[in-house]
Structures are given as C-alpha cells and as structure tokens.
Amino acid sequence: MSTLERLPDEDFSRILCVAAHPDDLEYGTSAAVAAWVARGVEVAYLLLTHGEAGMDRPPAEIGPLRDTEQRAACDAVGVSSLTILDFPDGVLSYGLDLRRAIAAEIRRFRPDVVVTGSWEEEVPWGLNQADHRAAGLATLDAIRDAANPWVFPVSPSVGAPDTWQARWLLVSGASRPTHAVDVTGDPLARGIASLASHVHYLAHVTGHASPEDTLRAATTEPGVALGVQSAVAFRAHRL
C-alpha cells in the first residue's frame, strides 16, 4: 500500500453497508461510517445473518445476543437503520435467494453508495471466510440486479420506480485498495466504541486484541498512504 486517493465522498447522501455477520462492519468500516454520519449522510446496515454460529453456545441463545450487540455498535456511530436477515450463519451460500434479498434492500433504501466486504479468497489478514466471500459477491451482483426491471421484477411496468442504480461500490478489506477515508480523531474513537460493543463476541475470541489496538492497527497504514493519522481503505468502483 504505497499511496491512496482521498475518496471523493462530498456528495454521498445515502449509503447501504452489507455484511454477513454482526461485527463484520466494525473492523474499520464503522469508523468511516462515523465520519459520513457526522457530515449528515444517511447510512443503513444490512446484515445477512444473526451470527448465531459464531460462538460456542446454542444458536438460539447467541443470535439475539449478537443482534443486541450490533444495535449498540450502530448507536455508537449514529446508524439508526439496521436490518438483519435470517440466512443461516456459517453456511451462507451465494445464489439467487441471497441476491434477491440484497437487491430488495437496495431498491427499498435507494442508496447512491453500497459498501460490502471483499469476496477474494485471500485478504490482507489471511484466508477469507466463506460467508464473507458469499456476501461480497452476492452484493456485487445484487447492485446490477436492483437496476434491472427484468430481474426479480416486482412491478409489471418497464422502468418502474422499484428499480434503483447505485453510483458507487466500495469494497472493504480488498487486497488492492484504491481510496481511503480520513477517520482521524472522533470517527476513529466512535469506530473503536462500535467494535467494543460486541462484548460477548470479543470475549469469546481467544487472544483478540483490544478494540482500540485493533482499530488503530487497521487504520495506521492506510493513514500513512493517505497522508493522515488514521484512515479506512476501500477499493472504489464508480458504477
């Protein structure tokens, strides 16, 4: 990561963040979200699972617990719109049902920007998890689906307002990022607080660094590449 361009996000107005699990957005993206929300951008989260398979306690107990922690994580960065779908955690599968569900939320929320995680098999921190790959790839395709009146039609009229075309796709955790968002100061502090909201989940992960150490480490190198103290990197695609 040599240099990164500052993301031209001055005219962003509505952003939809799509992730597989509670906590996925808190490993950097939420700090950028805090910066956007502070500027008046409306941000919504769409989680595809409840993360019920992520701990060593019964899923029926863990799902609601992780939902509660995710709500607190959203509050920390000023996100009021949180939707959690019922796809099964751990075996999330790329396919038409997943694409249809994401496209439906894009059509409903009508974002100009969609954010999701990398679908690469290898990411900067190691081998990417299967649910993450499925979520990222399905989101990529759902953006196109949402703009096409012939795909997952909900209205018989061509060009019905049910369709929607996002203008940007931002991919977090990509091995070759292109742009970054300055999160120095309060946005980073809010991002740290959002990760810290996942109290029970973090306690379950053996050897997990503190939320502050985790986020400062994740944002230092992109910060250097952008020429600021702390930044969140994305691979940005103008659609």
Tab-separated table of all heavy atoms in Angstrom, residues 17 24-37 45 73 76-77 79 183 187-188 190-195 215 232 234:
chain	number	residue	atom	x	y	z
A	17	CYS	N	-24.591	-0.388	3.822
A	17	CYS	CA	-23.476	-1.276	4.144
A	17	CYS	C	-24.009	-2.691	4.309
A	17	CYS	O	-24.910	-2.924	5.135
A	17	CYS	CB	-22.796	-0.829	5.436
A	17	CYS	SG	-22.087	0.827	5.373
A	24	ASP	N	-18.890	-7.625	11.546
A	24	ASP	CA	-18.083	-7.516	10.331
A	24	ASP	C	-17.768	-6.061	9.988
A	24	ASP	O	-16.650	-5.742	9.559
A	24	ASP	CB	-18.792	-8.163	9.141
A	24	ASP	CG	-18.769	-9.681	9.178
A	24	ASP	OD1	-18.085	-10.245	10.057
A	24	ASP	OD2	-19.437	-10.300	8.331
A	25	LEU	N	-18.737	-5.181	10.148
A	25	LEU	CA	-18.543	-3.781	9.765
A	25	LEU	C	-17.712	-3.007	10.776
A	25	LEU	O	-17.264	-1.889	10.486
A	25	LEU	CB	-19.899	-3.096	9.591
A	25	LEU	CG	-20.730	-3.617	8.417
A	25	LEU	CD1	-22.149	-3.083	8.487
A	25	LEU	CD2	-20.080	-3.242	7.090
A	26	GLU	N	-17.485	-3.595	11.932
A	26	GLU	CA	-16.793	-2.873	12.995
A	26	GLU	C	-15.272	-2.958	12.911
A	26	GLU	O	-14.576	-2.354	13.722
A	26	GLU	CB	-17.265	-3.371	14.367
A	26	GLU	CG	-18.548	-2.730	14.831
A	26	GLU	CD	-19.768	-3.100	13.991
A	26	GLU	OE1	-20.205	-4.260	14.022
A	26	GLU	OE2	-20.282	-2.203	13.282
A	27	TYR	N	-14.747	-3.692	11.956
A	27	TYR	CA	-13.292	-3.804	11.835
A	27	TYR	C	-12.736	-2.759	10.858
A	27	TYR	O	-11.863	-3.052	10.056
A	27	TYR	CB	-12.906	-5.224	11.425
A	27	TYR	CG	-13.044	-6.181	12.582
A	27	TYR	CD1	-14.234	-6.848	12.816
A	27	TYR	CD2	-11.994	-6.381	13.472
A	27	TYR	CE1	-14.382	-7.706	13.906
A	27	TYR	CE2	-12.118	-7.233	14.564
A	27	TYR	CZ	-13.319	-7.886	14.770
A	27	TYR	OH	-13.455	-8.727	15.854
A	28	GLY	N	-13.254	-1.552	10.933
A	28	GLY	CA	-12.756	-0.449	10.127
A	28	GLY	C	-13.869	0.352	9.476
A	28	GLY	O	-13.916	1.575	9.596
A	29	THR	N	-14.780	-0.331	8.786
A	29	THR	CA	-15.820	0.379	8.049
A	29	THR	C	-16.620	1.314	8.947
A	29	THR	O	-16.971	2.430	8.543
A	29	THR	CB	-16.763	-0.614	7.351
A	29	THR	OG1	-16.022	-1.365	6.382
A	29	THR	CG2	-17.902	0.105	6.650
A	30	SER	N	-16.915	0.895	10.178
A	30	SER	CA	-17.757	1.723	11.047
A	30	SER	C	-17.105	3.059	11.374
A	30	SER	O	-17.812	4.046	11.634
A	30	SER	CB	-18.120	0.970	12.329
A	30	SER	OG	-16.968	0.699	13.107
A	31	ALA	N	-15.784	3.123	11.381
A	31	ALA	CA	-15.122	4.408	11.611
A	31	ALA	C	-15.390	5.357	10.445
A	31	ALA	O	-15.639	6.555	10.639
A	31	ALA	CB	-13.622	4.210	11.817
A	32	ALA	N	-15.348	4.829	9.217
A	32	ALA	CA	-15.708	5.641	8.053
A	32	ALA	C	-17.174	6.044	8.122
A	32	ALA	O	-17.541	7.180	7.783
A	32	ALA	CB	-15.418	4.875	6.766
A	33	VAL	N	-18.020	5.120	8.573
A	33	VAL	CA	-19.442	5.427	8.740
A	33	VAL	C	-19.627	6.594	9.702
A	33	VAL	O	-20.424	7.503	9.459
A	33	VAL	CB	-20.201	4.179	9.234
A	33	VAL	CG1	-21.603	4.549	9.716
A	33	VAL	CG2	-20.288	3.128	8.128
A	34	ALA	N	-18.875	6.585	10.804
A	34	ALA	CA	-18.975	7.678	11.768
A	34	ALA	C	-18.621	9.015	11.125
A	34	ALA	O	-19.265	10.041	11.398
A	34	ALA	CB	-18.070	7.401	12.960
A	35	ALA	N	-17.608	9.015	10.269
A	35	ALA	CA	-17.228	10.247	9.569
A	35	ALA	C	-18.340	10.700	8.630
A	35	ALA	O	-18.648	11.897	8.538
A	35	ALA	CB	-15.926	10.029	8.799
A	36	TRP	N	-18.955	9.746	7.915
A	36	TRP	CA	-20.037	10.104	6.995
A	36	TRP	C	-21.263	10.621	7.746
A	36	TRP	O	-21.849	11.635	7.375
A	36	TRP	CB	-20.408	8.901	6.141
A	36	TRP	CG	-19.353	8.504	5.157
A	36	TRP	CD1	-18.527	9.337	4.454
A	36	TRP	CD2	-19.016	7.169	4.748
A	36	TRP	NE1	-17.694	8.599	3.643
A	36	TRP	CE2	-17.960	7.268	3.798
A	36	TRP	CE3	-19.479	5.894	5.088
A	36	TRP	CZ2	-17.393	6.153	3.192
A	36	TRP	CZ3	-18.916	4.774	4.487
A	36	TRP	CH2	-17.885	4.907	3.550
A	37	VAL	N	-21.653	9.916	8.801
A	37	VAL	CA	-22.837	10.319	9.572
A	37	VAL	C	-22.648	11.718	10.158
A	37	VAL	O	-23.589	12.526	10.182
A	37	VAL	CB	-23.129	9.284	10.678
A	37	VAL	CG1	-24.189	9.816	11.648
A	37	VAL	CG2	-23.603	7.964	10.064
A	45	TYR	N	-27.498	-0.258	7.653
A	45	TYR	CA	-26.786	-1.528	7.692
A	45	TYR	C	-27.741	-2.653	7.304
A	45	TYR	O	-28.883	-2.709	7.786
A	45	TYR	CB	-26.274	-1.829	9.102
A	45	TYR	CG	-25.024	-1.087	9.535
A	45	TYR	CD1	-24.488	-0.046	8.791
A	45	TYR	CD2	-24.389	-1.437	10.730
A	45	TYR	CE1	-23.352	0.622	9.209
A	45	TYR	CE2	-23.248	-0.771	11.164
A	45	TYR	CZ	-22.737	0.255	10.398
A	45	TYR	OH	-21.608	0.919	10.822
A	73	ALA	N	-23.582	-1.302	18.632
A	73	ALA	CA	-22.499	-0.893	17.730
A	73	ALA	C	-22.996	0.161	16.746
A	73	ALA	O	-22.273	1.111	16.419
A	73	ALA	CB	-21.951	-2.105	16.985
A	76	ALA	N	-23.296	3.565	18.414
A	76	ALA	CA	-22.014	4.217	18.664
A	76	ALA	C	-21.566	5.096	17.506
A	76	ALA	O	-20.817	6.049	17.700
A	76	ALA	CB	-20.939	3.168	18.964
A	77	VAL	N	-22.020	4.774	16.292
A	77	VAL	CA	-21.611	5.565	15.121
A	77	VAL	C	-22.780	6.321	14.493
A	77	VAL	O	-22.635	6.915	13.423
A	77	VAL	CB	-20.909	4.688	14.055
A	77	VAL	CG1	-19.585	4.173	14.595
A	77	VAL	CG2	-21.795	3.532	13.608
A	79	VAL	N	-25.885	5.147	13.468
A	79	VAL	CA	-26.696	4.457	12.465
A	79	VAL	C	-28.002	3.999	13.107
A	79	VAL	O	-27.987	3.213	14.065
A	79	VAL	CB	-25.950	3.244	11.874
A	79	VAL	CG1	-26.881	2.403	11.003
A	79	VAL	CG2	-24.762	3.713	11.054
A	183	VAL	N	-10.250	9.087	9.062
A	183	VAL	CA	-11.057	8.855	10.266
A	183	VAL	C	-10.322	9.319	11.521
A	183	VAL	O	-10.643	8.906	12.637
A	183	VAL	CB	-11.463	7.370	10.400
A	183	VAL	CG1	-12.335	6.944	9.229
A	183	VAL	CG2	-10.245	6.462	10.518
A	187	PRO	N	-14.090	10.169	14.542
A	187	PRO	CA	-14.607	8.993	13.825
A	187	PRO	C	-13.927	7.693	14.255
A	187	PRO	O	-14.597	6.668	14.415
A	187	PRO	CB	-14.323	9.318	12.360
A	187	PRO	CG	-14.310	10.801	12.303
A	187	PRO	CD	-13.680	11.232	13.591
A	188	LEU	N	-12.619	7.740	14.467
A	188	LEU	CA	-11.930	6.533	14.915
A	188	LEU	C	-12.378	6.157	16.321
A	188	LEU	O	-12.598	4.967	16.620
A	188	LEU	CB	-10.418	6.730	14.876
A	188	LEU	CG	-9.584	5.537	15.360
A	188	LEU	CD1	-9.894	4.295	14.519
A	188	LEU	CD2	-8.098	5.863	15.303
A	190	ARG	N	-15.228	6.679	17.680
A	190	ARG	CA	-16.558	6.069	17.566
A	190	ARG	C	-16.480	4.665	16.968
A	190	ARG	O	-17.239	3.764	17.356
A	190	ARG	CB	-17.475	6.961	16.737
A	190	ARG	CG	-17.856	8.253	17.449
A	190	ARG	CD	-18.807	9.097	16.610
A	190	ARG	NE	-19.193	10.301	17.324
A	190	ARG	CZ	-20.216	10.357	18.184
A	190	ARG	NH1	-20.939	9.276	18.402
A	190	ARG	NH2	-20.514	11.483	18.796
A	191	GLY	N	-15.575	4.485	16.000
A	191	GLY	CA	-15.374	3.147	15.447
A	191	GLY	C	-14.882	2.164	16.495
A	191	GLY	O	-15.314	1.004	16.540
A	192	ILE	N	-13.973	2.616	17.341
A	192	ILE	CA	-13.473	1.767	18.434
A	192	ILE	C	-14.614	1.404	19.377
A	192	ILE	O	-14.767	0.247	19.789
A	192	ILE	CB	-12.338	2.482	19.184
A	192	ILE	CG1	-11.099	2.597	18.288
A	192	ILE	CG2	-11.997	1.760	20.491
A	192	ILE	CD1	-10.033	3.529	18.822
A	193	ALA	N	-15.445	2.387	19.698
A	193	ALA	CA	-16.591	2.124	20.583
A	193	ALA	C	-17.566	1.140	19.949
A	193	ALA	O	-18.161	0.303	20.652
A	193	ALA	CB	-17.295	3.434	20.906
A	194	SER	N	-17.726	1.220	18.630
A	194	SER	CA	-18.651	0.293	17.961
A	194	SER	C	-18.131	-1.133	18.030
A	194	SER	O	-18.900	-2.081	18.261
A	194	SER	CB	-18.903	0.728	16.513
A	194	SER	OG	-17.784	0.511	15.688
A	195	LEU	N	-16.828	-1.323	17.838
A	195	LEU	CA	-16.270	-2.674	17.969
A	195	LEU	C	-16.358	-3.154	19.410
A	195	LEU	O	-16.690	-4.323	19.671
A	195	LEU	CB	-14.816	-2.697	17.491
A	195	LEU	CG	-14.092	-4.044	17.586
A	195	LEU	CD1	-14.830	-5.140	16.820
A	195	LEU	CD2	-12.653	-3.921	17.090
A	215	LEU	N	-8.296	-1.389	16.008
A	215	LEU	CA	-8.664	-0.354	15.047
A	215	LEU	C	-7.506	0.590	14.746
A	215	LEU	O	-7.347	1.036	13.604
A	215	LEU	CB	-9.872	0.421	15.556
A	215	LEU	CG	-11.251	-0.075	15.077
A	215	LEU	CD1	-11.402	0.110	13.586
A	215	LEU	CD2	-11.468	-1.537	15.430
A	232	VAL	N	-9.439	4.651	6.679
A	232	VAL	CA	-10.050	3.372	6.308
A	232	VAL	C	-9.965	3.252	4.787
A	232	VAL	O	-10.390	4.165	4.061
A	232	VAL	CB	-11.508	3.273	6.777
A	232	VAL	CG1	-12.155	1.990	6.257
A	232	VAL	CG2	-11.572	3.318	8.299
A	234	PHE	N	-10.609	1.479	0.995
A	234	PHE	CA	-11.593	0.761	0.187
A	234	PHE	C	-11.061	0.609	-1.232
A	234	PHE	O	-10.258	1.420	-1.706
A	234	PHE	CB	-12.921	1.540	0.106
A	234	PHE	CG	-13.619	1.750	1.408
A	234	PHE	CD1	-13.480	2.953	2.100
A	234	PHE	CD2	-14.428	0.758	1.940
A	234	PHE	CE1	-14.131	3.152	3.310
A	234	PHE	CE2	-15.076	0.954	3.142
A	234	PHE	CZ	-14.927	2.151	3.821
